[in-house]
Amino acid sequence: MRQFIVNVKVYENVLKDPISFISPLLKTRSDHFQIAFAVPAFNIQSLSKSFGENVMGQHVDLNPYGPFTGSVPMESLISMGIKSSLLNHSERRIEREVIFETVKKAKKLDFGLVVCCESLREIEVFSSNGANVIAYEPPELIGGDISVSTSKPDIIMEGVKICRRNGATLFVGAGVKTREDVEKSLEQGAEGILISSGITKAKDPLTALNSLTLS
Ligand code: G3P
């Protein structure tokens, strides 16, 4: 099933009471999407107790447990029952070599990664090096009102081709606010949507989520 990932980032209005924010949204039962929430590491344990597999990481580090101040080892997420994370979000970029190694490690540990990319070049590089879920997010559109599917249809379609050739799937995100944005993305071949402000900043997040994910 297609995925609809709500990245709550570290928005204060969500984090002052994340359980009250997320609970009503998870009552939405979309026929088209599995809905997941990407949450910060400092909340992930308690949120995963409440919401199980609907919770994923926003970032994961390559290092294992040990003397690595401030890091988020994949092993620690797995021990809490977390099964996947975003990686290389444009607000949390990491080095290419580290991404390659993290992708390899995730395969070994059976951990899912959504590797974020800003360009076709990056889509090519990461999908041909083992990443099986790629998210294309043009940074200049993040947080705005012009969606990736309106502004970059050609890149999405080309990105989908590259991913398919390499055995990967493409998710897209940035500026998604309307049902039309979602539909266009799917028509262009995307298999998942990443969204933040369209839900986290909506006056009524449940109505916004329903209008984006229910037919
Ligand atoms: O990870 C999703 C995010 O970067 C998109 O943000 O606010 O444009 O939906 P937004």
Side-chain angles (χ1 to χ4, degrees), residues 7 9 89 137 141-143 174-175 194-197:
N7 178 2
K9 305 197 174 183
H89 191 280
E137 292 204 321
L141 299 180
I142 290 177
L194 273 74
I195 186 167
S196 184
S197 50

Side-chain angles (χ1 to χ4, degrees), residues 133-186:
V133 183
I134 299 287
Y136 170 57
E137 292 204 321
E140 70 280 11
L141 299 180
I142 290 177
D145 287 325
I146 299 171
S147 75
V148 59
S149 56
T150 304
S151 180
K152 312 276 184 189
D154 299 345
I155 298 191
I156 297 178
M157 287 187 282
E158 190 53 34
V160 167
K161 276 191 211 154
I162 295 170
C163 284
R164 287 188 183 153
R165 198 171 62 230
N166 290 322
T169 53
L170 187 75
F171 290 10
V172 297
V176 175
K177 297 279 186 310
T178 67
R179 177 80 201 171
E180 201 193 345
D181 295 334
V182 173
E183 274 167 7
K184 270 195 208 157
S185 308
L186 301 182

